[in-house]
DNA sequence: CAGGATCCCCTACGATACTG
DNA sequence: CAGTATCGTAGGGGATCCTG
């Protein structure tokens, strides 16, 4: 199976990782199960709809389990599966990369944007450079 | 800086990784520089607009360089920067995880979807279970 | 408490042209 | 060859309100 295949395994995984909330949820669940509102508390800004959606997707992928306790008020726990736990390490590696290199990325962005602006200014005066 | 901070480094990196084409481009560039049409060839299905967009973003992030050769017909090379190269390893780790675990994920999905369907069927006959 | 239902926006991605 | 311009769409993400 090739990387270029749209059904390539890495595609679906990269997609999950790119999901705005999924990785966050996974990492927050590292220390043990949490209920819905706990998750909302930890991830603060997410709306219930989106959180639900994220959790369903992760459950579908077998990365976490959803357990409903028959009580009032209702209580639902989310917990990483064994499979979900194995994803923690790769994610951490990526996070470490991010933490070590984000400054460099930020600088690159500023430099790029600045060069961009200059090109625009020069263009307005001298009828556009290549690009 | 916390994971929960929207400006958290890992966020922007995870987002890049989640980009449908970005990681693909990075991995394809591992073996050396390529020109625009080479990239299109390797990544077959992507439209020039989207590829351009992807490349610009990666260039902005300082992950690759864009070099224009003044010749006719035009020629533009894209090449990973040192920074871009350091991202290869974390990506590979993620890919390896994907390749080892995708089967399990696929099975989980099928099981989930099947359970879902059953619930729907049961619901149509017996007025909906919880969920 | 744990969500479902609704509405809405915006951006990623794509198809199809056209150009320096 | 290496793009840009234009148009169009699906769905990710959010705000707000409602319910078993």
């Amino acid at each position: 199976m090739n990387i270029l295949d749209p059904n390539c395994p890495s595609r679906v995984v990269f997609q999950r990782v790119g999901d705005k909330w999924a990785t966050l949820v996974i990492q927050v669940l590292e220390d043990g199960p949490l209920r819905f509102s706990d998750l909302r508390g930890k991830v603060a800004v997410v709306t219930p709809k989106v959180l639900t959606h994220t959790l369903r997707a992760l459950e579908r992928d077998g990365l976490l389990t959803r357990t409903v306790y028959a009580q009032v008020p209702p209580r639902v726990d989310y917990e990483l599966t064994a499979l979900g736990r194995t994803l923690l390490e790769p994610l951490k590696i990526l996070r470490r990369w991010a933490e070590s290199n984000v400054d460099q990325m930020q600088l690159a962005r500023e430099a790029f944007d600045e060069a961009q602006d200059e090109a625009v200014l020069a263009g307005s005066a001298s009828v556009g450079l290549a690009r």
Side-chain angles (χ1 to χ4, degrees), chain A:
Chain A
M1 168 105 44
N2 194 331
I3 304 193
L4 304 175
D5 187 320
N7 292 342
C8 173
S10 45
R11 290 279 185 101
V12 313
V13 172
F14 287 161
Q15 213 171 310
R16 267 276 152 284
V17 172
D19 182 284
K20 190 169 179 185
W21 304 111
T23 56
L24 208 43
V25 167
I26 292 177
Q27 294 181 36
V28 163
L29 282 178
E30 175 167 16
D31 299 329
L34 289 175
R35 22 197 323 190
F36 192 83
S37 45
D38 290 338
L39 282 168
R40 282 209 68 189
K42 298 237 179 199
V43 188
V45 288
V46 69
T47 61
K49 189 191 88 175
V50 174
L51 182 56
T52 302
H53 189 83
T54 304
L55 290 168
R56 288 277 192 278
L58 291 173
E59 186 193 1
R60 187 169 105 101
D61 286 346
L63 297 174
L64 55 77
T65 58
R66 176 175 181 274
T67 11
V68 184
Y69 295 93
Q71 61 185 48
V72 177
R75 164 186 180 161
V76 180
D77 274 15
Y78 293 91
E79 183 172 15
L80 288 180
T81 61
L83 183 61
R85 297 211 147 266
T86 66
L87 189 49
L88 283 169
E89 193 53 29
L91 289 184
K92 281 186 189 171
I93 291 175
L94 209 56
R95 251 181 65 197
R96 273 195 286 275
W97 186 93
E99 285 158 9
S100 333
N101 299 99
V102 113
D103 292 344
Q104 221 172 320
M105 266 185 57
Q106 190 52 38
L107 287 174
R109 287 187 175 185
E110 285 164 18
F112 184 90
D113 292 346
E114 197 174 325
Q116 200 79 340
D117 290 350
E118 281 170 23
V120 171
L121 287 176
S124 68
S126 72
V127 190
L129 285 58
R131 170 143 283 241

